[in-house]
Amino acid sequence: QQQVKQSPQSLIVQKGGISIINCAYENTAFDYFPWYQQFPGKGPALLIAIRPDVSEKKEGRFTISFNKSAKQFSLHIMDSQPGDSATYFCAASKRAGGTYKYIFGTGTRLKVLA
Amino acid sequence: AAGVIQSPRHLIKEKRETATLKCYPIPRHDTVYWYQQGPGQDPQFLISFYEKMQSDKGSIPDRFSAQQFSDYHSELNMSSLELGDSALYFCASSLTPPDTQYFGPGTRLTVL
């Protein structure tokens, strides 16, 4: 059972457009929500992250919107560029033992058309 | 800035052989995580270590074992390899707190 549900599975956006990727979770114990960008054959790279006490966080062209009551969060990529074409994973984190355990969404393959 | 180092980057093994993957965390990071990622799939958590002790365990087969050493580097040992073990294996490290995980470039394991 996927604890973090991510949609859409794939997304095609025109250059300059807005890319929106959504994630939903069930477990209220999650308290950290990062987004990762992954290019083929490379490791996931942290893009931006948010904690549930904040409803929005913006870093450059990337914004996370967080709705605690709905248990949903989303990534907005403004002015999308062809170089943004990659797979994006949301994750939810909760404390497990002495560390924080990440549960990843299933990923969204984004293609930005030039 | 220094990143997570993984070696080897590529590894080809035969069925039933063993493999050892190494991970060198970002300096001062005290926590290491191992993930397995199949083609087109999300990373699946295998195991984590905090201060050289196993912290959490995920979907790691009994054929796999791992440890974290005194210098904080970690090794994932995989025995009796199966075709289904072919995947990208990522190591991530973090500092506790704030626990943000930084991923290495991965090791691509191919089992023939």
Side-chain angles (χ1 to χ4, degrees):
Chain A
Q1 183 181 1
Q2 192 71 26
Q3 295 187 48
V4 178
K5 295 182 179 179
Q6 184 172 345
S7 64
Q9 189 174 14
S10 62
L11 181 61
I12 299 176
V13 173
Q14 293 287 339
K15 179 182 175 181
I18 302 174
S19 303
I20 302 175
I21 305 170
N22 301 298
C23 284
Y25 63 98
E26 288 296 325
N27 192 336
T28 55
F30 290 135
D31 61 0
Y32 183 64
F33 303 88
W35 284 90
Y36 284 84
Q37 177 190 59
Q38 186 178 28
F39 294 102
K42 306 293 185 184
L46 178 69
L47 264 181
I48 187 171
I50 198 168
R51 295 197 183 273
D53 54 345
V54 176
S55 61
E56 185 174 283
K57 183 175 181 180
K58 183 176 181 179
E59 290 184 1
R61 297 185 294 112
F62 302 95
T63 301
I64 297 179
S65 297
F66 188 85
N67 186 329
K68 188 175 181 178
S69 60
K71 290 184 284 186
Q72 295 175 348
F73 58 110
S74 60
L75 175 69
H76 291 63
I77 305 174
M78 312 300 288
D79 187 26
S80 298
Q81 299 296 313
D84 296 330
S85 298
T87 300
Y88 292 80
F89 292 98
C90 65
S93 174
K94 61 179 178 178
R95 195 159 188 87
T99 59
Y100 278 77
K101 180 176 180 176
Y102 278 19
I103 305 296
F104 283 91
T106 50
T108 295
R109 184 168 292 186
L110 170 66
K111 184 174 178 64
V112 180
L113 302 176
Chain B
V4 176
I5 297 172
Q6 289 187 247
S7 68
R9 295 294 312 279
H10 302 273
L11 190 59
I12 299 174
K13 291 286 185 179
E14 300 278 344
K15 278 175 55 177
R16 292 180 288 278
E17 287 191 321
T18 61
T20 297
L21 278 55
K22 297 184 178 182
C23 169
Y24 297 86
I26 292 171
R28 296 190 301 112
H29 281 197
D30 51 15
T31 306
V32 167
Y33 307 79
W34 285 97
Y35 291 87
Q36 178 191 58
Q37 186 177 35
Q41 297 181 359
D42 56 293
Q44 294 293 312
F45 171 73
L46 293 177
I47 195 167
S48 63
F49 292 88
Y50 169 62
E51 284 291 345
K52 293 154 281 184
M53 298 287 289
Q54 182 180 308
S55 177
D56 192 17
K57 205 170 181 180
S59 50
I60 184 169
D62 292 340
R63 301 177 287 108
F64 294 7
S65 65
Q67 57 182 323
Q68 186 179 32
F69 294 86
S70 58
D71 64 350
Y72 293 99
H73 94 272
S74 178
E75 294 183 358
L76 177 65
N77 298 292
M78 311 160 71
S79 63
S80 301
L81 287 169
E82 301 174 356
L83 296 178
D85 296 329
S86 295
L88 271 167
Y89 290 83
F90 290 106
C91 169
S93 74
S94 71
L95 180 63
T96 303
D99 304 303
T100 299
Q101 295 183 27
Y102 296 90
F103 283 75
T107 294
R108 182 177 295 278
L109 172 66
T110 302
V111 181
L112 303 176

